[in-house]
C-alpha cells in the first residue's frame, strides 16, 4: 500500500521499465472479451497455457518479475474485431491472428513463439482489400479510426492493475490529489468540452459543477453501466478491457465534487465486466488508491458495484438511483435533478462508463490534446458498436464529425455480397432511423439533433434494402413497450396501442385511418411521457413515417416493398413437383392443406397462417413462399 504519491511514482517507474522489457520479449495476448470468449477464447488461452507448460516455456505473468528466457501469457480485452475472434497477438512481432482454435496453438508456439515466423492463414483479412494483413494496425479498419480511450489494442492486460499503472494509469489521480483543487479539475473538464457519452451529450463539467455547489455534507458518484440497448456494447467492452480507466475517472470525480462514496451500476448480464470491475476495485484498495486517506492526501473515497437486474428503464438516471436504493427501478419527475437530490436525497453525480473513461486522459495529456479531435462543440472521440450485414462489425472509436459513409464503407468495409444500404438506426432502440440522405452527415451531438436523431448510446444498426422499415419500427417498439416500467399512462398504454397499429400494418390489415392514428399517438407519447424512455420510444415510428412514409402507404395498398412481411405473401404448392405424399397436410396446425393421396395437394389461403411448417416438412421442396 502506498503511503504517499512519491512511493506510487517510484513504483510506476519500475513497472514502466518492466513492461517495456516484457513487450520486447516474447509475449502472447489472448483476447477474452465477451465476443471472443463466446467463440472459444478461454479454450485457446488454456491450450496456450498447457502447451507452454509442457515445453517449460511459461514465464511469470505479472509485471513484478519477468523471466528473460520464458514466454508470458496474458489476457487482453476487446480488440474491436468481434466478428473475427478468438484473437491472439504475439509480441514483439506484433503478429495478429484471427479465428484461432485450440488446435492452432502448437503450430503458433512452434513457428511464431519459438522461431518468429508468421502464419499467414491466421492473419486478419482486410475488409476493403480482401488481403491478409499481419498486424491489426495495418488494416483499413484500424487506419481509419482514432484510438483515444481504446489505447494499447491487443497488448493491455484487462485483469492487471500493474499493467494499467505501467501504461500511465493513476497518474491523473496523483496529479489531481497533489497539485489541483477540486475547482481546478472542474474547470479543466469544462474547458475540454467533454459531453456525456450516454445520451443527449450534456456538458460534463457543468454537471460536476452543479454537484460540487450543491448543499450537503454527504455526496455520491454513480457510474451508469446499465447499457440495455440492443446492439450496443461499448460500455461492456470498456469495463472488460480497461476497468481501471473507468475507476480512476470515478475517483477523480469523487474528489472534484466532494463525494465520499461511489456506485458502479452494471447490469448482471455482463458477468465478465462485473468480475473485472470488482477485481479492479479490490486491487486499487490493496495499493491504497481507493479507500481511506488515499495516498496520504486526506481524501477518502470508496466504491462498490451494484448489479442491475436488466431493466432497460434503469438506464434513466432517476430509475437507476431508485434501483441502487433497493426500490423498483422507476423514474421520477425532474427537477429536482440528481445533482441536487439523488441517492437517498443527497447530491449525486451520474455519468456513464465512457464519460468517466475520458477523464484520466484529459487530465494526463491536457485539454489541448483532447480538443485536437472531434468538432468545436463535440470534441474528442466516440465509441460505436456497429452491427449489420457488413464485412466487419464490432467496436470502433472515431472522432466526432466522422460520417456514416466513412464508418460503413471505409472502416467496416461496406456490405457483404447481395446487400445494399437503405437506412441506419443510431443511438439505441428508441432513436431515429436515418435514410441514405444522411449518410454524409457528420456525426456529432448538434448535427444529429437537427436531424431529429441522437448519438445516444452509440449503437449503430445498419439496415439494408431487404428490410421492411415498418417492421423495423415494430421491432424496436416491441422492445421499448416491454421495457416500460408502467408508471405513466402515455408510455404504458400508448406504446402498446402503437404496437398494435404497427402489427396491423405488418399483417396487411391497416387503413389510412390507422396511419393517421399512429402518427398522432406517437407524437402524444413523445410529448406526455414522464421519462426519457417514453419520450423517445416513438422515435423509430416518427422517423420512418417521415423518411419512409411510402412503405406505410404500400402496406395499406397491399404490398410490402421489401418482401419481408409474410402477410403479403402466400405459400403455394407446385403441382408439377408435389408427389401427393400428404406429409404437408398432416403437419399443418390449421388443417389448411387438403388433397387426395397421390395427387397434388392445395393450400386454403384463408386458413393458412404462414407458419412455414409445411414447406420445412416437404421432402420434395414443392412448397414455396411467393
Amino acid at each position: 500500500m502506498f503511503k504517499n504519491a512519491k512511493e506510487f511514482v517510484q513504483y510506476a517507474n519500475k513497472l514502466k521499465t518492466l513492461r517495456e522489457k516484457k513487450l520486447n520479449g516474447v509475449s502472447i495476448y489472448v483476447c477474452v472479451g465477451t465476443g471472443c470468449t463466446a467463440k472459444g477464447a478461454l479454450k485457446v488461452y488454456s491450450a496456450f497455457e498447457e502447451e507452454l507448460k509442457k515445453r517449460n516455456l511459461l514465464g511469470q505473468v505479472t509485471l513484478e518479475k519477468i523471466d528473460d528466457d520464458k514466454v508470458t501469457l496474458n489476457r487482453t480485452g476487446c480488440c474491436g474485431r468481434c466478428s473475427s475472434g478468438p484473437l491472439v497477438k504475439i509480441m514483439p512481432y506484433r503478429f495478429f491472428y484471427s479465428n484461432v482454435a485450440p488446435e492452432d496453438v502448437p503450430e503458433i508456439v512452434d513457428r511464431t513463439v519459438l522461431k518468429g515466423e508468421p502464419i499467414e492463414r491466421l492473419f486478419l483479412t482486410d475488409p476493403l482489400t480482401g488481403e491478409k494483413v499481419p498486424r491489426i494496425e495495418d488494416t483499413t479498419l484500424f487506419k481509419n479510426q482514432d484510438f483515444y480511450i481504446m489505447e494499447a489494442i491487443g497488448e493491455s492486460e484487462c485483469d492487471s492493475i500493474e499493467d494499467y499503472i505501467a501504461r500511465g494509469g493513476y497518474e491523473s489521480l496523483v496529479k489531481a490529489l497533489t497539485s489541483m483543487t477540486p475547482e481546478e479539475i472542474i474547470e479543466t473538464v469544462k474547458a475540454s468540452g467533454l459531453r456525456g457519452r450516454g445520451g443527449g451529450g450534456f456538458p460534463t463539467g457543468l454537471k460536476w459543477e452543479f454537484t460540487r455547489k450543491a448543499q450537503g455534507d454527504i455526496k455520491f458518484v454513480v457510474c451508469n453501466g446499465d447499457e440495455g440497448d440492443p446492439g450496443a456494447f461499448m460500455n461492456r467492452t470498456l469495463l472488460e478491457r480497461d476497468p481501471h480507466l473507468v475507476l480512476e475517472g470515478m475517483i477523480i470525480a469523487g474528489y472534484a465534487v466532494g463525494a465520499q462514496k461511489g456506485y458502479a451500476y452494471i447490469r448482471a448480464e455482463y458477468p465478465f465486466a462485473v468480475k473485472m470491475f470488482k477485481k479492479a476495485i479490490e486491487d486499487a484498495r490493496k495499493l491504497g488508491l481507493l479507500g481511506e486517506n488515499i495516498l496520504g492526501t486526506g481524501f477518502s473515497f470508496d466504491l462498490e458495484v451494484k448489479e442491475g437486474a436488466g431493466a432497460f428503464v434503469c438506464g434513466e438516471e432517476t430509475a437507476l438511483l431508485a434501483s441502487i436504493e433497493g426500490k423498483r427501478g422507476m423514474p421520477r419527475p425532474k427537477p429536482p435533478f440528481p445533482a441536487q437530490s439523488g441517492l437517498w436525497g443527497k447530491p449525486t453525480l451520474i455519468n456513464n462508463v465512457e464519460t468517466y473513461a475520458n477523464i484520466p486522459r484529459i487530465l494526463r495529456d491536457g485539454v489541448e490534446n483532447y480538443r485536437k479531435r472531434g468538432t468545436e462543440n463535440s470534441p474528442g472521440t466516440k465509441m460505436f458498436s456497429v452491427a449489420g450485414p457488413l464485412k466487419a462489425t464490432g467496436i470502433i472509436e472515431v472522432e466526432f464529425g466522422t460520417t456514416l459513409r466513412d464508418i460503413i464503407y471505409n472502416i467496416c468495409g461496406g456490405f457483404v455480397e447481395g446487400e445494399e444500404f437503405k437506412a441506419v438506426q443510431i443511438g439505441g432502440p428508441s432513436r431515429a432511423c436515418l435514410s441514405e440522405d444522411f449518410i454524409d452527415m457528420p456525426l456529432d451531438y448538434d448535427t444529429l439533433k437537427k436531424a431529429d436523431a441522437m448519438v445516444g448510446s452509440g449503437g449503430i444498426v445498419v439496415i439494408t434494402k431487404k428490410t421492411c422499415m415498418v417492421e423495423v419500427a415494430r421491432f424496436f417498439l416491441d422492445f421499448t413497450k416491454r421495457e416500460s416500467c408502467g408508471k405513466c399512462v402515455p408510455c404504458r398504454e400508448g406504446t402498446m396501442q402503437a404496437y398494435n397499429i404497427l402489427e396491423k400494418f405488418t399483417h396487411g390489415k391497416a387503413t389510412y385511418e390507422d396511419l393517421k392514428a399512429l402518427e398522432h399517438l406517437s407524437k402524444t407519447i413523445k410529448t406526455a411521457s414522464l421519462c426519457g424512455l417514453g419520450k423517445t420510444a416513438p422515435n423509430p415510428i416518427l422517423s420512418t413515417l417521415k423518411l419512409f412514409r411510402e412503405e406505410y402507404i404500400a402496406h395499406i395498398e397491399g404490398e410490402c416493398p421489401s418482401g419481408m412481411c409474410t402477410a403479403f405473401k402466400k405459400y403455394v404448392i407446385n403441382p408439377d413437383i408435389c408427389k401427393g405424399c400428404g406429409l404437408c397436410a398432416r403437419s399443418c396446425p390449421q388443417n389448411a392443406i387438403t388433397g387426395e393421396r397421390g395427387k397434388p395437394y392445395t393450400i386454403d389461403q384463408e386458413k393458412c397462417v404462414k407458419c412455414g411448417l409445411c414447406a420445412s416438412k416437404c421432402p420434395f421442396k414443392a412448397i414455396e413462399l411467393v
Side-chain angles (χ1 to χ4, degrees):
M1 180 179 288
F2 305 119
K3 295 179 182 179
N4 52 55
K6 184 179 179 181
E7 288 185 4
F8 171 83
V9 172
Q10 291 173 344
Y11 183 71
N13 289 336
K14 174 187 174 184
L15 292 182
K16 288 178 182 179
T17 302
L18 286 171
R19 185 172 190 270
E20 191 68 28
K21 180 181 178 182
K22 179 177 182 177
L23 292 177
N24 288 330
V26 181
S27 301
I28 302 171
Y29 291 85
V30 180
C31 175
V32 293
T34 296
C36 284
T37 296
K39 297 181 74 175
L42 295 181
K43 293 180 180 178
V44 172
Y45 183 90
S46 297
F48 271 115
E49 191 172 39
E50 183 180 333
E51 188 71 18
L52 293 173
K53 282 181 178 178
K54 185 172 67 176
R55 299 170 184 244
N56 194 30
L57 291 172
L58 187 62
Q60 188 75 24
V61 175
T62 69
L63 288 167
E64 292 290 345
K65 178 175 181 267
I66 297 177
D67 300 319
D68 291 330
D69 59 341
K70 301 292 184 180
V71 177
T72 57
L73 178 61
N74 315 277
R75 294 179 177 88
T76 190
C78 182
C79 300
R81 280 298 302 268
C82 308
S83 57
S84 303
L87 303 168
V88 174
K89 189 171 188 176
I90 312 290
M91 298 294 289
Y93 316 110
R94 310 191 73 83
F95 294 143
F96 202 89
Y97 294 149
S98 62
N99 297 299
V100 178
E103 49 267 31
D104 296 319
V105 168
E107 183 183 3
I108 294 173
V109 174
D110 277 333
R111 295 181 55 188
T112 306
V113 172
L114 294 178
K115 300 176 183 177
E117 296 177 0
I119 304 174
E120 188 173 339
R121 65 179 177 82
L122 295 176
F123 286 162
L124 280 169
T125 301
D126 191 300
L128 276 181
T129 65
E131 297 176 356
K132 291 286 188 178
V133 182
R135 298 171 180 84
I136 193 169
E137 54 266 31
D138 296 330
T139 64
T140 308
L141 178 82
F142 275 65
K143 284 179 181 178
N144 292 321
Q145 294 190 52
D146 188 345
F147 298 110
Y148 183 71
I149 55 176
M150 284 182 65
E151 60 180 353
I153 294 284
E155 54 191 63
S156 62
E157 297 173 51
C158 56
D159 55 356
S160 170
I161 189 172
E162 292 88 2
D163 179 77
Y164 180 68
I165 292 172
R167 291 186 284 117
Y170 292 107
E171 287 181 9
S172 294
L173 176 62
V174 172
K175 178 182 179 180
L177 296 182
T178 60
S179 63
M180 299 179 76
T181 65
E183 290 77 14
E184 287 174 337
I185 295 171
I186 292 172
E187 286 303 315
T188 300
V189 177
K190 287 171 65 176
S192 73
L194 175 66
R195 298 173 68 167
R197 296 294 194 255
F202 189 82
T204 302
L206 282 180
K207 185 180 281 191
W208 287 29
E209 186 174 58
F210 294 154
T211 312
R212 175 75 187 175
K213 291 181 177 179
Q215 297 297 314
D217 295 330
I218 300 175
K219 297 180 181 180
F220 298 97
V221 166
V222 173
C223 177
N224 184 348
D226 189 56
E227 193 176 45
D229 297 2
F233 44 98
M234 298 76 57
N235 293 349
R236 187 199 74 207
T237 297
L238 265 180
L239 291 168
E240 291 176 356
R241 76 179 303 275
D242 228 348
H244 287 282
L245 186 66
V246 181
L247 178 57
E248 184 180 7
M250 291 187 70
I251 301 170
I252 293 170
Y255 174 67
V257 305
Q260 303 82 28
K261 183 68 181 287
Y263 291 90
Y265 189 91
I266 307 171
R267 57 177 40 227
E269 288 102 322
Y270 289 176
F272 188 58
V274 170
K275 179 182 177 181
M276 285 294 97
F277 206 73
K278 284 183 175 180
K279 186 178 188 304
I281 291 172
E282 182 183 338
D283 291 345
R285 280 202 194 107
K286 287 178 181 177
L287 294 183
L289 299 169
L290 187 67
E292 294 293 322
N293 191 24
I294 297 173
L295 296 175
T297 61
F299 170 63
S300 299
F301 182 83
D302 211 345
L303 197 144
E304 66 179 86
V305 172
K306 167 69 176 178
E307 294 184 47
F312 179 66
V313 73
C314 286
E316 197 280 334
E317 55 186 15
T318 60
L320 181 151
L321 295 178
S323 181
I324 293 177
E325 292 173 349
K327 303 170 186 174
R328 183 182 175 192
M330 299 177 75
R332 60 163 174 78
K334 294 182 288 189
F337 294 95
Q340 283 75 45
S341 178
L343 273 177
W344 296 288
K346 307 298 181 183
T348 303
L349 172 70
I350 306 178
N351 286 127
N352 92 321
V353 171
E354 192 176 346
T355 308
Y356 285 121
N358 275 278
I359 298 299
R361 290 293 308 271
I362 290 172
L363 263 63
R364 189 181 77 196
D365 300 336
V367 169
E368 186 178 340
N369 181 278
Y370 175 77
R371 294 192 71 98
K372 286 179 181 177
R373 299 165 174 84
T375 65
E376 178 64 26
N377 294 324
S378 298
T381 63
K382 179 73 182 79
M383 293 175 65
F384 291 98
S385 55
V386 186
L390 303 173
K391 292 179 181 177
T393 55
I395 292 290
I396 64 171
E397 183 179 1
V398 295
E399 292 186 44
F400 278 111
T402 303
T403 66
L404 283 169
R405 185 184 298 278
D406 282 335
I407 290 174
I408 294 170
Y409 293 100
N410 296 335
I411 294 177
C412 296
F415 292 90
V416 297
E417 188 176 351
E419 300 285 359
E420 293 181 71
F421 182 88
K422 183 175 188 178
V424 65
Q425 206 263 2
I426 181 170
S430 55
R431 306 301 179 188
C433 296
L434 300 176
S435 66
E436 194 168 8
D437 294 338
F438 297 89
I439 198 169
D440 292 309
M441 178 183 68
L443 297 182
D444 62 68
Y445 292 107
D446 301 325
T447 306
L448 281 170
K449 188 175 182 180
K450 291 176 183 176
D452 295 324
M454 294 176 70
V455 173
S457 63
I460 294 179
V461 180
V462 182
I463 301 166
T464 67
K465 290 186 177 179
K466 294 179 180 178
T467 305
C468 171
M469 297 309 296
V470 180
E471 169 58 24
V472 167
R474 188 208 65 80
F475 173 83
F476 284 118
L477 191 68
D478 181 42
F479 175 82
T480 49
K481 78 173 175 59
R482 286 187 284 107
E483 293 294 335
S484 171
C485 72
K487 187 173 184 177
C488 72
V489 173
C491 180
R492 182 184 70 239
E493 300 298 330
T495 54
M496 178 63 74
Q497 294 306 316
Y499 178 80
N500 290 340
I501 296 174
L502 284 171
E503 283 219 309
K504 289 181 70 175
F505 275 93
T506 57
H507 290 169
K509 299 177 181 178
T511 65
Y512 282 100
E513 283 300 313
D514 290 319
L515 181 64
K516 185 177 178 181
L518 179 65
E519 192 161 18
H520 176 73
L521 181 57
S522 298
K523 290 178 180 177
T524 302
I525 297 168
K526 188 177 181 70
T527 303
S529 292
L530 172 63
C531 80
L533 187 153
K535 289 182 182 299
T536 59
N539 283 343
I541 301 174
L542 292 170
S543 61
T544 52
L545 280 171
K546 180 180 179 181
L547 300 173
F548 301 94
R549 195 178 193 88
E550 70 280 359
E551 293 201 25
Y552 285 87
I553 294 173
H555 281 69
I556 296 173
E557 298 293 333
E559 178 191 3
C560 175
S562 68
M564 187 176 185
C565 297
T566 57
F568 299 94
K569 294 185 175 184
K570 59 183 179 180
Y571 281 96
V572 295
I573 299 175
N574 188 331
D576 295 329
I577 302 177
C578 179
K579 304 299 182 184
C581 68
L583 183 59
C584 58
R586 294 194 296 273
S587 64
C588 179
Q590 298 297 113
N591 294 319
I593 304 177
T594 56
E596 184 179 341
R597 191 169 179 82
K599 297 181 180 180
Y601 279 62
T602 58
I603 300 176
D604 185 338
Q605 299 299 329
E606 293 296 321
K607 292 183 179 180
C608 178
V609 294
K610 302 177 180 65
C611 66
L613 187 60
C614 57
S616 66
K617 292 291 185 181
C618 179
F620 307 106
K621 308 299 180 185
I623 304 176
E624 299 175 298
L625 185 64
V626 297

